[in-house]
Amino acid sequence: MEPISAADYHDLAQVSTPRLSPSGDRVAYVRRTPSDDSEYEATVYVADATGGEVQRFTLAEGVDSEPRWSPSGDRLAFVSTRGADDRQQLWVVPTDGGEATQVTSVVGGVGQIAWAPDGERIAFVQQVTDADREADRDLEVEPDFEPETPDPRVVDRTVYRTAERYRDGRRSQVYLATADGEGVERVTTADRDHASPTWGDGDTLYVARDADVADPDDSLATEIRAYDLDSGDSVVRHETTTFQPTLAASGRRVAFSYTDPEQGTMAQTELHLLDETDTVHDLTAALDRTLDTDLGPTWDPNGGTLYFGTPDEGATALWRVHAADLATTDSPESEPRPVAVEPERVRRDEWSAIDGFDIGDDRVAYVQSSWDHPGDLFVADADGETTRLTECNAEYLDTHAVQEPEEIRFPAGDAGHETDDRTCQGWVLTPPEFDPEESYPLAVEVHGGPHAMWTTSGTMWHEFQTLASRGYVVFWSNPRGSAGYGKEYMQAIERDWGDVTASDVLSGVATVAERPSVDEDQLFVTGGSFGGYMTAWLVSQTDQFEAAVSQRGVYDLLGFYGSTDWAYKLVEDDFDTTPWEEPAFLQSQSPTGHAHEVATPTLILHSEDDYRTPICSAELFHRILRKHGVDTRLVRYPDEGHELSRSGQPGHVVDRIERIVRWFDGYAADRSVPPALEREPDADLTGSADEV
């Protein structure tokens, strides 16, 4: 068997966005593969839901996404960058054969598409400026039109850039396109952002809209508006608070995500339901888990049962709530009315991650990755019997050494409160041809978030397996602050990102290092985003790591507050303060406040267009390390944002993993290679990124 390498990323296919046909006999999904060092090929495939034939449904041209069946199943709508320009546009293809037809040519791109019940119209969202509307470019634009870059750029919003892009006056607006491509019409025009269009019936479209507050960027307040498409009128049926508006309508019933604004980023996201009488029900009141807004809510075809997903102790779980349960409340006079019945868990495979699902009359289709594969398409019937519809990476997996992780439980660290009986979950991955009589270096990985959760799979599958193939025992965990273990566990790091998480990570390291096969003097650490913060924090507090790689981290909470997108709320909510109230406290909680204590050789990896954790604080951390004589290097990835490790340019994804391994190897006692700083800049790197 061949070892897994970073460059193998080019050979791996990724599966996403499953959608069941109305008859339930077919599943559409997107299959994405790297096409070269800078681009991906993403096309729509259709699989027989009983386990039969799989066929490619769209041409390998551009990047396709969001496949959606028409209500009758005779057409499939999708979003694609194919065509005369690289904007995302709406396309429709007949399902019985024939060419796809481009339905829109709009300036702001197309996303969040939703078929009308009559199959004649499709709702979508695009981002446009007032000037775009005045020139009707939001209805039709010439392919060669390119907006001018503002010079100078004038900023009048609290959050003026996000997702690698400046907003520059754009707002997210909702539109309707005729499915035959005859025209596009506006649904919303207010100077607010709109999201998640969902049809209640043939004449009513529900939309989530920023509430009418002084500064929508600085508020979680969101209106649920019903748009009467015949009259053009709209009414606010309910106002909620949420970071990521997610709606699902069935008639007049609308399910939506809710986040307690008093706790904000520290709060678990709940699932609420607005019923026909405008009464609100808390569907997850009896479930101590946070809603994954990327996994639902989704109604079954009959509109009687609602499905959604959550992180759940190192795995993803799918749950359902029946409409009949709404009558069971703990406090019938309160609002929202808490549903006393705990949702029914219908799908959970140990340590596995679900990355999208859809519901049919008698089956659920879902994409799932597990320790032994990076993701495939599955269906489960009403009895829970599962059929695997794809094996996208079968040839690769048959010829490469994939290691099975071992789950461990270890005591929580001694920082924080009430830790006597608290345990944390983690995993250990050993190298191929592992010999328990030998001693191996330990690579420690720390997840981002901080309120996220790792499994044994998902987007980290390839990186974990690559490190193991390079001869490292790999350890990762879900320390306190992680989602998936309940509200108390998630909120345990309030006002203390550093010491609480660090004590848990170090407790796990100590547990793993007790094994004779782990060299306790050869410890290495890396992580991205909050994991980058924690990597930098650890090396500022202890010298037990031989080398570290900090990626896309938050290093200076004061600078982060002013330069990030909406994530400045992490400072306000997780730390319950602001830079003007407690600047010294936030500095004490920042790695840059302790960077002068670092002695560990530390590589810093960052994306130049990262507007979640802007590069300015990485530059500050790097300069402090250099001023104190620490072995360090800053590697900057152009044209990349915060999602570098998950969806960055393929060449950069490979380069990043190779640099991590090369940095570790240079300080590992069992490797006969010098440190990276003493070698040629691109020695042993197969990625295309140039050294900076």
Side-chain angles (χ1 to χ4, degrees):
M1 301 289 279
E2 299 179 38
I4 293 175
S5 71
D8 291 349
Y9 183 78
H10 289 279
D11 301 325
L12 295 172
Q14 301 170 6
V15 180
S16 66
T17 327
R19 286 297 182 272
L20 276 160
S21 64
S23 60
D25 61 343
R26 292 181 290 178
V27 187
Y29 64 96
V30 175
R31 185 179 188 270
R32 188 182 78 159
T33 56
S35 54
D36 54 35
D37 278 339
S38 60
E39 302 289 343
Y40 291 90
E41 174 188 300
T43 52
V44 177
Y45 280 67
V46 172
D48 184 327
T50 63
E53 181 185 10
V54 175
Q55 65 178 105
R56 189 169 70 185
F57 216 69
T58 60
L59 298 174
E61 179 185 352
V63 174
D64 300 341
S65 60
E66 296 192 45
R68 300 291 188 271
W69 299 90
S70 65
S72 62
D74 64 332
R75 289 156 294 163
L76 189 73
F78 62 97
V79 174
S80 182
T81 61
R82 67 180 65 190
D85 60 33
D86 60 356
R87 297 182 183 92
Q88 292 190 148
Q89 302 294 351
L90 179 62
W91 294 69
V92 174
V93 60
T95 56
D96 60 355
E99 296 295 323
T101 301
Q102 183 172 343
V103 172
T104 65
S105 180
V106 294
V107 70
V110 170
Q112 304 180 48
I113 66 174
W115 282 92
D118 62 8
E120 299 300 320
R121 296 165 295 173
I122 302 171
F124 67 91
V125 174
Q126 65 167 316
Q127 295 187 7
V128 298
T129 65
D130 289 342
D132 289 330
R133 290 204 302 272
E134 291 170 3
D136 289 338
R137 290 190 294 265
D138 60 333
L139 305 181
E140 185 173 8
V141 68
E142 293 298 321
D144 58 355
F145 172 78
E146 289 294 336
E148 294 183 3
T149 300
D151 183 12
R153 177 171 273 122
V154 179
V155 175
D156 289 320
R157 291 187 62 173
T158 301
V159 179
Y160 60 91
R161 60 183 187 177
T162 188
E164 304 171 52
R165 186 182 189 187
Y166 283 84
R167 287 176 164 169
D168 290 337
R170 298 181 187 90
R171 289 287 189 182
S172 297
Q173 303 288 356
V174 177
Y175 292 78
L176 290 180
T178 57
D180 58 9
E182 289 299 312
V184 173
E185 64 178 284
R186 302 178 181 111
V187 177
T188 67
T189 57
D191 187 23
R192 292 288 186 269
D193 286 312
H194 303 74
S196 196
T198 179
W199 295 85
D201 55 42
D203 299 317
T204 306
L205 188 67
Y206 288 99
V207 174
R209 193 187 93 169
D210 289 342
D212 189 13
V213 296
D215 186 355
D217 289 344
D218 196 37
S219 173
L220 303 187
T222 302
E223 297 172 348
I224 299 175
R225 282 185 169 259
Y227 288 81
D228 185 320
L229 300 179
D230 283 338
S231 68
D233 297 332
S234 70
V235 296
V236 178
R237 284 200 57 201
H238 183 67
E239 186 171 306
T240 184
T241 50
T242 182
F243 281 103
Q244 184 176 335
T246 306
L247 308 183
S250 175
R252 280 185 51 81
R253 291 180 298 179
V254 185
F256 59 93
S257 55
Y258 167 79
T259 303
D260 182 350
E262 296 302 315
Q263 297 178 306
T265 58
M266 293 288 289
Q268 295 192 127
T269 298
E270 307 290 342
L271 181 59
H272 286 186
L273 179 71
L274 181 68
D275 71 13
E276 298 90 335
T277 67
D278 289 340
T279 300
V280 177
H281 304 264
D282 184 352
L283 304 183
T284 51
L287 180 65
D288 191 15
R289 292 289 182 269
T290 186
L291 175 70
D292 183 340
T293 51
D294 291 328
L295 293 175
T298 301
W299 290 97
D300 71 352
N302 298 318
T305 304
L306 194 64
Y307 291 76
F308 61 95
T310 73
D312 187 33
E313 294 200 17
T316 305
L318 293 183
W319 310 78
R320 67 184 171 200
V321 179
H322 301 288
D325 294 336
L326 300 184
T328 308
T329 63
D330 289 328
S331 304
E333 302 306 318
S334 68
E335 182 134 339
R337 295 184 179 180
V339 175
V341 177
E342 180 175 313
E344 178 187 0
R345 188 163 59 192
V346 296
R347 188 84 247 162
R348 182 187 186 276
D349 291 332
E350 201 71 16
W351 312 344
S352 295
I354 294 175
D355 184 33
F357 75 96
D358 195 29
I359 302 298
D361 284 325
D362 57 0
R363 55 172 54 106
V364 53
Y366 58 99
V367 169
Q368 179 171 278
S369 58
S370 300
W371 73 265
D372 57 347
H373 69 91
D376 270 308
L377 178 65
F378 297 80
V379 293
D381 62 21
D383 297 324
E385 184 175 342
T386 301
T387 302
R388 185 172 182 170
L389 301 186
T390 66
E391 293 187 69
C392 292
N393 297 291
E395 183 176 345
Y396 175 87
L397 297 172
D398 285 345
T399 57
H400 287 77
V402 178
Q403 296 298 102
E404 181 175 3
E406 171 196 352
E407 182 195 24
I408 66 169
R409 298 279 179 163
F410 57 91
D414 55 10
H417 305 287
E418 301 177 2
T419 62
D420 291 346
D421 299 322
R422 176 74 71 187
T423 61
C424 301
Q425 183 183 32
W427 292 269
V428 176
L429 188 68
T430 56
E433 301 180 4
F434 174 72
D435 183 349
E437 301 300 319
E438 297 290 330
S439 183
Y440 298 85
L442 178 67
V444 180
E445 292 259 15
V446 185
H447 71 58
H451 309 300
M453 184 199 74
W454 267 348
T455 66
T456 61
S457 48
T459 57
M460 294 302 296
W461 182 91
H462 175 232
E463 183 172 325
F464 291 160
Q465 292 286 342
T466 298
L467 283 168
S469 289
R470 291 296 295 262
Y472 291 87
V473 171
V474 187
F475 165 66
W476 67 96
S477 64
N478 290 318
R480 280 173 292 166
S482 302
Y485 300 84
K487 176 180 177 180
E488 180 183 348
Y489 194 86
M490 196 169 88
Q491 296 183 352
I493 61 171
E494 185 175 9
R495 286 181 65 85
D496 194 352
W497 273 14
D499 287 343
V500 174
T501 302
S503 70
D504 287 357
V505 171
L506 292 175
S507 176
V509 169
T511 299
V512 177
E514 290 176 353
R515 302 180 178 202
S517 57
V518 173
D519 187 340
E520 63 181 359
D521 295 323
Q522 293 291 294
L523 308 179
F524 302 84
V525 62
T526 187
S529 194
F530 172 75
Y533 168 98
M534 183 47 49
T535 297
W537 183 269
L538 283 165
V539 297
S540 74
Q541 305 295 313
T542 177
D543 60 0
Q544 68 185 94
F545 294 100
E546 294 301 298
V549 181
S550 186
Q551 309 171 57
R552 306 179 317 285
V554 178
Y555 305 104
D556 171 32
L557 291 170
L558 295 161
F560 172 73
Y561 183 91
S563 59
T564 186
D565 53 13
W566 66 264
Y568 71 95
K569 290 293 184 182
L570 285 165
V571 176
E572 294 184 350
D573 298 337
D574 276 35
F575 291 95
D576 192 26
T577 194
T578 59
W580 56 92
E581 292 173 303
E582 295 182 276
F585 168 70
L586 289 176
Q587 181 66 6
S588 73
Q589 285 287 315
S590 300
T592 52
H594 309 274
H596 60 286
E597 302 287 350
V598 175
T600 305
T602 303
L603 174 65
I604 304 167
L605 307 179
H606 218 99
S607 300
E608 292 191 339
D609 295 337
D610 188 338
Y611 299 147
R612 176 61 48 79
T613 59
I615 199 170
C616 56
S617 68
E619 294 168 330
L620 175 60
F621 186 61
H622 175 249
R623 180 158 294 173
I624 295 173
L625 296 190
R626 285 194 58 83
K627 289 284 288 185
H628 288 82
V630 178
D631 279 5
T632 187
R633 169 176 283 164
L634 172 61
V635 178
R636 306 166 62 108
Y637 290 95
D639 303 317
E640 295 287 5
H642 198 60
E643 299 300 304
L644 167 62
S645 64
R646 292 176 281 267
S647 57
Q649 296 177 24
H652 287 160
V653 173
V654 172
D655 183 85
R656 181 189 65 86
I657 296 176
E658 290 185 335
R659 288 186 189 276
I660 294 170
V661 175
R662 189 177 69 156
W663 191 262
F664 287 174
D665 284 352
Y667 297 95
D670 65 340
R671 312 295 155 104
S672 57
V673 295
L677 295 177
E678 300 175 12
R679 304 161 71 183
E680 290 297 320
D682 294 320
D684 297 327
L685 298 177
T686 62
S688 65
D690 294 330
E691 185 77 1
V692 179

